[in-house]
Amino acid sequence: MKLAIFSQGTSGAAKGRLGVILKDHIADLSGVDGAPETMAACCALGAGAVDRLTHLAAAAPKLPLAEVTLRAPFPRPARNVFCVGKNYHEHAKEFAQSGFDASAKDVVPEAPVVFTKPPSAVIGPGETIPGHLDPTKSVDYEGELAVVIGKGGRGIAAADALGHVFGYTIVNDVTSRQLQHKHRQWVLGKGIDGFCPMGPAVLTADEVSDPRQLRLRTWVNGELRQDATVADLIFDIPTLISTISAYITLEPGDIIATGTPVGVGIGFNPPKFLAAGDVVRIEIDGIGTLENPVG
């Protein structure tokens, strides 16, 4: 099942509604009695969530997908988005060799490098990445698979971790490389308003038998820059969930961006940073396409 937040028309001011994507239509759950109103509420449904949502979608009015605008699945997350740095082997190498890594003594980290992006960083498909907010003009892209937590918990064992996953979406971990380097920690360089495009939908976990087989690809202005499978992660999804939940209680609707593969802008010589008018497109099997222009 693919769940989305959508609005009719192209106005960004319209309130988002919850829907189920059905090929070229979307089932509008907003007027169905007993239906959840937000993606986070879907995550909190617990066991049987997909069956319940399937039943609700059958009774919902259907709208042509071409006539709606898909929004970020979590337009304003309840908490910061958890992110993981240097989590693909080849990307860890390119970052260490780029001159922008303040901790390059360890090419491959010995433990997950976890940071966060604030809710104000999130924007949806088609919205403009505000590159002009980076005074250093070093805006970079990072296509990533993001995990959406369903069943919360603290101290989740790696062996049980996938049972806590509600689904998967796409995140672009947009970054100011100069600010990331200047401040040593990464929150300021990566947490700028609008620097977390997300979407276009949440693919529920029952549709993904093995997330390691998912393929991620990123294009900039039609040029393929990133192409990898999730199997290349240094720290896999169960390890990330176990590591974070050892110290922070995970809650339904929490989002964990799992890291980016090789091929980011700083990996080129000279670096290929984003500029106004560029378009970044990220695709992951089953989830769809997240595309955003740069302003």
Side-chain angles (χ1 to χ4, degrees):
M1 171 177 287
K2 286 172 67 171
L3 295 160
I5 298 297
F6 72 96
S7 58
Q8 286 186 278
T10 58
S11 173
K15 182 180 178 181
R17 287 137 58 182
L18 178 68
V20 177
I21 296 177
L22 307 168
K23 294 186 178 179
D24 55 355
H25 284 74
I26 189 164
D28 182 2
L29 300 184
S30 64
V32 180
D33 289 342
E37 296 183 358
T38 67
M39 195 68 70
C42 292
C43 297
L45 287 175
V50 171
D51 288 342
R52 181 176 175 186
L53 291 166
T54 300
H55 176 75
L56 292 169
K62 312 302 189 291
L63 303 170
L65 196 56
E67 296 180 8
V68 306
T69 299
L70 299 183
R71 312 280 285 276
F74 297 85
R76 185 79 176 190
R79 304 207 295 178
N80 284 20
V81 177
F82 294 100
C83 301
V84 184
K86 299 194 290 187
N87 200 28
Y88 281 77
H89 287 89
E90 292 304 314
H91 171 64
K93 292 177 184 177
E94 74 174 346
F95 190 44
Q97 296 167 1
S98 69
F100 288 88
D101 187 0
S103 58
K105 63 187 181 97
D106 298 317
V107 174
V108 176
E110 63 181 19
V113 178
V114 180
F115 61 97
T116 69
K117 285 177 174 274
S120 54
V122 174
I123 60 174
E127 293 189 64
T128 300
I129 298 167
H132 64 278
L133 295 181
D134 172 21
T136 71
K137 301 186 185 302
S138 60
V139 180
D140 207 348
Y141 55 89
E142 294 190 4
E144 307 197 7
L145 174 71
V147 175
V148 178
I149 296 297
K151 180 183 177 183
R154 191 178 193 277
I156 300 168
D160 301 326
L162 291 182
H164 290 256
V165 175
F166 177 79
Y168 303 90
T169 190
I170 304 172
V171 158
N172 185 352
D173 178 16
V174 181
T175 304
S176 164
R177 294 301 182 190
Q178 293 287 0
L179 293 180
Q180 179 186 23
H181 178 74
K182 175 182 178 181
H183 294 282
R184 297 298 191 262
Q185 51 72 38
W186 296 354
V187 174
L188 293 180
K190 289 173 171 282
I192 296 171
D193 293 348
F195 271 39
C196 188
M198 182 188 297
V202 171
L203 180 68
T204 53
D206 61 296
E207 299 277 356
V208 184
S209 59
D210 184 358
R212 295 173 300 178
Q213 300 305 311
L214 293 175
R215 181 184 181 190
L216 182 154
R217 290 178 291 175
T218 302
W219 292 263
V220 177
N221 301 329
E223 177 189 2
L224 182 64
R225 299 278 184 88
Q226 296 180 293
D227 189 352
T229 64
V230 177
D232 292 336
L233 285 175
I234 297 171
F235 303 104
D236 62 13
I237 291 168
T239 300
L240 298 180
I241 292 173
S242 177
T243 300
I244 295 171
S245 71
Y247 311 103
I248 300 171
T249 300
L250 290 174
E251 300 177 354
D254 277 343
I255 304 150
I256 304 172
T258 58
T260 199
V262 69
V264 297
I266 56 164
F268 295 88
N269 187 16
K272 294 184 177 182
F273 293 133
L274 298 174
D278 288 345
V279 176
V280 183
R281 186 172 91 251
I282 305 166
E283 290 184 2
I284 296 181
D285 300 335
I287 301 172
T289 300
L290 173 64
E291 184 173 299
N292 297 87
V294 181

